[in-house]
């Protein structure tokens, strides 16, 4: 594909497409990459230039682009059923997926409700919790609690439990106010404190709130182990244990937003497994379809499901999306789960993560790096940038420099993070680590 056609794609996109999470004027200086195709861990632009997809295309791609097994499953499904509404109908892919996911929780979370994106899953969980308490005769329980720095999506309900100013401030007048409690972010450790100490201190803040207001609180929503949009804030699993115990004690639901951290990202399929607890609701999206098709879902307990099971229509959960439980998306998810089983992905990821951590070792002691951290197949570190003007442009400058080094890396502020697909070989690991270091040096020294 020649350069003129590449430029044509860029110009046409900038003239007609409103790109997400983007100040469009920045594309006057920040390159827009016209992607032609993907293979494995790599994306290719219209000129054949390749980029190692080190953030899994916004954290969704688990087993590489154009994965042969997921491709085959989707091609087979295309000849059977592309879509049917799930109200009054059902189909084998959605049944099988629901059964397999429930089995992964040991049957604790036995019912799945489907949507297409993470924010919609958050909305569903919030509405289910609210409606459950109403159906149970406790109408006063209608408020929600989230963590400082939390992010749960950008629809109106999800924004109400999001505490990232750049996302929610413009829409504040539209939102219900949530209670915001201390984050267990291990970076907040004071001298002599461990990550577990920070987690227990944060749990103490939640306990005070619940002591005062539990009669009006429906649920606490958290991202287990890693608050992604807060700059990959990682914390000790003891926080999950403490919060589960507090929710039980004060009769408040626990919603686990595993949209980004589920599907093996933290080292276990569900992040909550690392604390040996199960929430009342789990939200999944992103990696559940292997990065192929829009799919999200909420898993919940039988006791919550039974509170809606009634002859009175108004007691039902009257929520719907046109593409709820889409057969193609569910089939992609089933193929994704099959790869987890057949390839022993979680075990191999532990070995792969150790290699990546070893390759990234030069960054741990880098004088311009602080808070280097890792959880499963997620890595992050914070850049030390003293010049405020350079700090403000760090992310864009890093992104641009990374593209010139065949890397797709998109920092959050001054936090550089890596969330690669689960297929990197030794050569790709070495390339990722060495070039991340090189790009970082170029940007912080500029």
């Amino acid at each position: 594909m020649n350069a003129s056609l590449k430029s044509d794609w860029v110009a046409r996109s900038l003239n007609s497409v409103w790109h997400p999470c983007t100040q469009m004027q920045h594309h006057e200086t920040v390159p827009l990459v016209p992607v032609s195709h993907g293979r494995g861990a790599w994306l290719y632009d219209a000129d054949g230039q390749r980029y190692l997809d080190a953030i899994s295309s916004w954290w969704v791609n688990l087993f590489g682009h154009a994965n042969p097994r997921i491709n085959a499953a989707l091609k087979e499904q295309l000849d059977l059923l592309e879509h049917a509404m799930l109200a009054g109908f059902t189909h084998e892919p959605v049944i099988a997926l629901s059964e397999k996911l429930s089995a992964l929780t040991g049957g604790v979370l036995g019912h799945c409700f489907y949507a297409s994106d993470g924010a919609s899953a958050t909305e569903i969980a919030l509405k289910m919790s609210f409606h459950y308490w109403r159906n149970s005769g406790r109408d006063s329980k209608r408020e929600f609690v989230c963590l400082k720095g939390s992010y749960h999506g950008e629809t109106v309900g999800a924004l109400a439990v999001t505490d990232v100013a750049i996302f929610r401030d413009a829409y504040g007048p539209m939102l219900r106010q949530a209670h915001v409690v201390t984050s267990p972010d291990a970076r907040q450790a004071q001298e002599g404190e461990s990550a577990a100490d920070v987690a227990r201190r944060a749990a103490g803040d939640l306990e005070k709130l619940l002591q005062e207001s539990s009669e009006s609180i429906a649920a606490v929503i958290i991202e287990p182990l890693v608050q992604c949009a807060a700059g990959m804030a990682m914390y000790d699993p003891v926080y999950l244990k403490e919060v589960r115990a507090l929710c039980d004690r004060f009769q408040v639901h626990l919603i686990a937003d595993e949209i980004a951290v589920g599907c093996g990202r933290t080292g276990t399929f569900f992040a909550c497994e690392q604390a040996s607890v199960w929430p009342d609701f789990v939200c999944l999206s992103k990696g559940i379809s292997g990065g192929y098709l829009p799919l999200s879902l909420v898993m919940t307990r039988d006791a919550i499901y039974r509170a809606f099971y009634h002859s009175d229509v108004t007691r039902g959960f009257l929520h719907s999306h046109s593409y709820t439980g889409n057969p193609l998306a569910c089939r992609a998810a089933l193929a994704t789960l099959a790869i987890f089983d057949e390839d022993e992905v979680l075990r191999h990821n532990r070995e792969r993560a150790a290699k990546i951590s070893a390759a990234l070792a030069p960054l741990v002691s880098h004088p311009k790096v602080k808070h280097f951290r890792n959880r499963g197949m997620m890595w992050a570190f914070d850049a030390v940038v003293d010049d405020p003007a350079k700090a403000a442009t760090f992310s864009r400058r890093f992104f641009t420099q990374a593209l010139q080094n065949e890397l797709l890396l998109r920092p959050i502020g001054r936090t550089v993070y890596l969330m690669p697909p689960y297929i990197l070989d030794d050569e790709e690991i070495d390339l990722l680590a060495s070039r991340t270091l090189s790009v970082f040096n170029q940007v912080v020294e500029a």
Side-chain angles (χ1 to χ4, degrees):
M1 188 172 288
N2 59 43
S4 62
L5 187 53
K6 177 179 176 180
S7 298
D8 179 59
W9 280 15
V10 171
R12 287 165 58 197
S13 188
L14 292 176
N15 283 334
S16 61
V17 180
W18 199 335
H19 292 265
C21 203
T22 300
Q23 169 48 263
M24 292 299 293
Q25 191 185 55
H26 290 168
H27 279 308
E28 293 179 5
T29 55
V30 177
L32 183 66
V33 181
V35 177
S36 170
H37 62 284
R39 289 289 183 275
W42 297 87
L43 291 169
Y44 295 82
D45 71 15
D47 281 342
Q49 176 66 48
R50 67 177 190 169
Y51 307 94
L52 183 63
D53 190 356
I55 59 171
S56 299
S57 289
W58 249 349
W59 323 341
V60 302
N61 189 281
L62 301 189
F63 300 119
H65 299 281
N67 182 281
R69 282 183 276 181
I70 302 177
N71 285 0
L74 286 173
K75 289 173 183 176
E76 182 180 42
Q77 184 62 42
L78 273 171
D79 288 330
L80 296 173
L81 178 66
E82 82 298 337
H83 184 64
M85 71 180 195
L86 209 59
F89 294 83
T90 194
H91 51 78
E92 196 275 339
V94 78
I95 297 166
L97 178 58
S98 302
E99 291 173 341
K100 288 181 180 296
L101 288 170
S102 178
L104 289 174
T105 72
V108 174
L109 302 175
H111 296 273
C112 294
F113 195 100
Y114 290 86
S116 57
D117 59 85
S120 295
T122 298
E123 298 278 342
I124 288 165
L126 296 173
K127 286 176 67 177
M128 276 185 177
S129 176
F130 176 95
H131 200 162
Y132 168 88
W133 292 117
R134 190 181 73 178
N135 282 354
S136 302
R138 302 183 68 178
D139 289 13
S140 64
K141 294 176 76 65
R142 57 181 62 186
E143 298 173 4
F144 296 96
V145 181
C146 64
L147 299 181
K148 183 176 176 58
S150 59
Y151 174 90
H152 298 289
E154 294 165 45
T155 50
V156 172
L159 268 181
V161 289
T162 286
D163 185 51
V164 180
I166 197 169
F167 293 116
R168 66 166 287 150
D169 280 4
Y171 311 103
M174 298 175 64
L175 308 177
R176 291 189 62 176
Q177 187 64 44
H179 300 276
V180 180
V181 294
T182 303
S183 166
D185 182 356
R187 292 176 295 181
Q188 299 175 125
Q190 299 170 5
E191 187 173 354
E193 269 194 322
S194 66
D197 293 331
V198 176
R200 292 190 182 94
R201 177 157 51 85
D205 187 42
L206 175 60
E207 182 179 22
K208 290 177 185 176
L209 173 64
L210 294 179
Q211 285 173 337
E212 298 169 356
S213 306
S214 62
E215 284 304 310
S216 63
I217 291 172
V220 177
I221 183 169
I222 58 175
E223 283 181 282
L225 301 182
V226 186
Q227 292 179 258
C228 295
M232 298 297 162
M234 300 184 184
Y235 61 86
D236 193 280
V238 72
Y239 185 75
L240 300 178
K241 283 183 175 290
E242 296 278 338
V243 173
R244 176 70 274 180
L246 288 170
C247 287
D248 289 341
R249 176 178 157 197
F250 290 100
Q251 296 185 308
V252 168
H253 289 145
L254 174 57
I255 301 172
D257 173 357
E258 297 220 10
I259 291 162
V261 300
C263 302
R265 282 291 177 197
T266 65
T268 48
F269 189 84
F270 294 101
C272 286
E273 293 179 72
Q274 294 182 44
S276 300
V277 300
W278 291 112
D280 301 296
F281 303 90
V282 165
C283 302
L284 287 179
S285 189
K286 292 192 181 288
I288 189 60
S289 72
Y292 266 69
L293 289 165
L295 180 67
S296 67
L297 59 102
V298 176
M299 304 179 68
T300 193
R301 297 172 181 262
D302 185 63
I304 291 170
Y305 172 81
R306 298 299 301 183
F308 293 84
Y309 199 87
H310 199 274
S311 59
D312 182 352
V313 171
T314 65
R315 288 177 61 97
F317 189 60
L318 306 182
H319 182 104
S320 62
H321 297 266
S322 299
Y323 284 91
T324 292
N326 174 260
L328 286 168
C330 290
R331 192 67 184 274
L334 286 167
T336 298
L337 294 181
I339 294 172
F340 270 99
D341 288 340
E342 294 164 9
D343 292 6
E344 298 183 79
V345 168
L346 296 175
R347 179 175 68 82
H348 287 299
N349 272 359
R350 289 192 288 271
E351 300 167 359
R352 186 174 288 108
K355 290 180 179 179
I356 295 174
S357 292
L360 292 171
L363 284 161
V364 178
S365 57
H366 195 291
K368 293 292 185 179
V369 167
K370 63 179 181 179
H371 302 306
F372 184 95
R373 51 203 182 275
N374 163 238
R375 173 73 66 176
M377 287 291 291
M378 307 168 75
W379 291 262
F381 58 89
D382 302 328
V384 178
V385 184
D386 297 324
D387 183 334
K390 289 184 177 180
T393 61
F394 175 83
S395 178
R396 276 181 279 152
R397 290 186 293 116
F398 192 101
F399 171 73
T400 302
Q401 192 65 45
L403 289 178
Q404 295 172 10
N405 284 265
E406 297 187 318
L407 296 182
L408 171 52
L409 287 171
R410 197 169 184 264
I412 300 170
R414 287 180 288 115
T415 296
V416 179
Y417 72 90
L418 292 77
M419 288 176 66
Y422 306 159
I423 59 168
L424 298 189
D425 60 26
D426 290 351
E427 182 179 346
E428 289 167 335
I429 289 171
D430 289 342
L431 182 149
L432 173 60
S434 63
R435 294 196 185 179
T436 299
L437 175 62
S438 176
V439 169
F440 183 72
N441 282 333
Q442 293 171 60
V443 174
V444 296
E445 291 170 4

